[in-house]
Amino acid sequence: MRQLAIVRYGTAGEAFRLLEAKDPTPRDFQVLVEVEGFGLNYADVMARKGLYREAPNIPFVPGYEVVGKVVDKGSEVPDAIVGKRVVAFTRFGGYADRALVDYRALVPIPEAMPAGEACALATQYCTAYFMSNYLTRLQAGDLALIHACAGGVGTALTQLCRMQGVRVIGLCGRDEKLAYLEEMGVEWPINYRAVNYVKAVEREFGKRKLDLIFNSVAGKSIKRDLKLLAPGGRLFCYGGSDRSGQKKNLLSDLAFLLKTGFLSPLFMMMKSQGLIGVNMLRVADQRIDTIGACLQALVSLWEKEAIRPQIGASFPVADIAAAHRLLESGTSRGKVYVYW
C-alpha cells in the first residue's frame, strides 16, 4: 500500500514522503478500507509542525478520516460490512490508500454521497455534534459565538445550531469570508482582525451575554470569551490554533499556557459557568461507540438534507503540500479533501 508519512517536522513542502508498505491485517474489531480519499484537519498542520502532543513520533502517517470500501475484516466484525462503501474515523493512518479502522467507528454511506462531504462528517461534524448534542442541550433562542466559523467545524456548528433555533455570531479573520458566513445563516459575522470582537458583541447585545461559545483558538481568546459568557453559559475549547505559528520549545509552551490562563472551578461555580475541553481522540479511545453514534446520526441528517458539508477544495495526493498550505493559510472554507 501507499502512505503519505510525515518524516520530519517543518513546512508542508518538506515534511511528507510517499512510502510503500505491506497491507495491514485487521485485528478482531478492525476492518481494512480501500481508500478513495481522506480529509484534512487543522490538527494535521499542528502534527506536521511537531506541536500536537497526541501525534506519534516521526515517521508516522497522519489522518483522522477516510472514505472507501471495506475489503477485509477481523474476527469480531459482522460479515455484512465487507464490500460496503463507508466513512470511517481513524486514529491516525488516514493518509494512505489502505487504512485500518475500528468497525464501531464507521458508517455505510450511499454511493451518491460525495467523498469530500463524507470525510467532513467523520471528524469535523462529529466534533461539532458531540459538543452540541452530547455535552449540552441547545435551546431555541440561545446566542452562540463560533470561532473560525468559516472552517470545517465552524461550518458544522453553524448548521447544527441553526437547525435547533440557536442564533449565531461567527468570527473569521478575512473580509472575503464574511459573505460565506452570511450565506451559511450567520446573523452577525465579524472579522476579528478588523474589529475587537468583544466590544462588537457588547455593542450589539448590551447586557445580554452569550449562552454558548465554541473556541478552537485558545490563548488570549479564552479570557476574552469569558467576559462574554452568561450565567449558565458553556465555553467549549476544542483546539489551540493560536499556538501554531510558534516554535516547538518549552518557553513557547509556557507562554501559550500563560496567555490562555488558569481558571478555578470555584470562580466558575460562583458565576454558574462551564468550561469544557474536547479532545475527540480521547473520546474515541474510551468510547468508540460514541463516535459511531455521532457519525450515524450525521449520515442520517445528511440523507434528510438537514445538513450539507461545504467542500472548500479538493486535491490529488501528489498535491498534499498545496493542500496543507491552503489549510494552514487560513483562507480555506469548509472541508479540504485529498483523493487517490
Side-chain angles (χ1 to χ4, degrees):
M1 71 175 182
R2 294 169 293 170
Q3 299 176 312
L4 272 173
I6 293 176
V7 297
R8 59 177 294 183
Y9 299 128
T11 66
E14 65 188 359
F16 292 102
R17 184 177 299 166
L18 186 62
L19 305 176
E20 294 284 343
K22 292 183 178 179
D23 284 3
T25 301
R27 296 182 179 177
D28 291 349
F29 291 93
Q30 291 179 325
V31 299
L32 181 65
V33 176
E34 183 179 62
V35 178
E36 296 175 34
F38 53 88
L40 301 192
N41 297 280
Y42 204 82
D44 300 350
V45 173
M46 301 288 280
R48 193 195 77 226
K49 294 183 173 185
L51 299 175
Y52 192 52
R53 294 186 179 277
E54 302 290 344
N57 295 326
I58 54 174
F60 71 95
V61 179
Y64 297 116
E65 74 257 344
V66 296
V67 168
K69 183 172 71 173
V70 176
V71 294
D72 197 6
K73 72 175 192 70
S75 60
E76 300 298 320
V77 179
D79 292 338
I81 288 180
V82 176
K84 298 286 189 183
R85 184 175 187 246
V86 299
V87 56
F89 179 87
T90 58
R91 201 191 194 289
F92 301 101
Y95 287 25
D97 65 2
R98 298 287 190 280
L100 287 177
V101 176
D102 190 307
Y103 90 96
R104 295 165 292 186
L106 65 77
V107 176
I109 58 174
E111 292 295 330
M113 180 182 283
E117 292 188 25
C119 278
L121 298 182
T123 301
Q124 293 168 328
Y125 273 73
C126 267
T127 301
Y129 191 87
F130 180 70
M131 290 189 290
S132 62
N133 285 265
Y134 267 72
L135 297 182
T136 192
R137 172 176 287 185
L138 302 181
Q139 303 284 348
D142 280 351
L143 274 177
L145 173 71
I146 302 174
H147 288 258
C149 195
V153 180
T155 296
L157 283 167
T158 298
Q159 293 180 6
L160 292 169
C161 283
R162 281 180 44 78
M163 190 172 66
Q164 299 186 62
V166 175
R167 307 174 76 190
V168 175
I169 305 161
L171 302 186
C172 64
R174 297 175 183 270
D175 282 341
E176 57 265 31
K177 291 186 175 182
L178 296 174
Y180 173 77
L181 297 186
E182 290 176 353
E183 291 172 8
M184 294 292 295
V186 174
E187 293 188 53
W188 297 278
I190 298 173
N191 180 350
Y192 69 89
R193 297 185 192 276
V195 300
N196 182 314
Y197 74 87
V198 174
K199 291 182 178 179
V201 171
E202 289 175 339
R203 281 196 301 269
E204 179 69 34
F205 297 102
K207 295 182 179 180
R208 171 71 161 94
K209 297 293 185 177
L210 306 182
D211 306 291
L212 302 151
I213 300 177
F214 299 96
N215 187 309
S216 59
V217 181
K220 292 180 180 179
S221 66
I222 296 294
K223 295 178 182 178
R224 294 167 182 160
D225 285 357
L226 286 171
K227 294 179 181 179
L228 298 172
L229 195 63
R234 290 127 289 163
L235 195 168
F236 296 88
C237 183
Y238 63 96
S241 64
D242 192 50
R243 176 73 173 84
S244 65
Q246 304 166 29
K247 294 182 179 180
K248 181 187 178 185
N249 57 54
L250 182 59
L251 288 178
S252 294
D253 288 344
L254 290 173
F256 182 61
L257 286 172
L258 288 173
K259 281 199 304 181
T260 301
F262 299 91
L263 301 172
S264 168
L266 292 176
F267 291 130
M268 302 297 287
M269 176 192 69
M270 290 170 64
K271 296 180 180 180
S272 191
Q273 296 172 333
L275 175 60
I276 304 170
V278 176
N279 181 330
M280 295 304 284
L281 286 182
R282 294 298 188 191
V283 176
D285 287 344
Q286 295 295 318
R287 292 294 305 273
I288 192 67
D289 55 312
T290 297
I291 301 295
C294 289
L295 192 50
Q296 181 64 69
L298 290 164
V299 170
S300 296
L301 288 172
W302 183 93
E303 291 177 322
K304 297 172 184 175
E305 300 185 356
I307 57 173
R308 183 62 72 229
Q310 302 296 304
I311 307 306
S314 297
F315 293 85
V317 165
D319 292 339
I320 185 64
H324 260 247
R325 282 194 292 266
L326 175 64
L327 183 62
E328 186 177 1
S329 72
T331 61
S332 63
R333 304 173 185 178
K335 187 66 175 177
V336 178
Y337 171 68
V338 178
Y339 55 89
W340 290 96

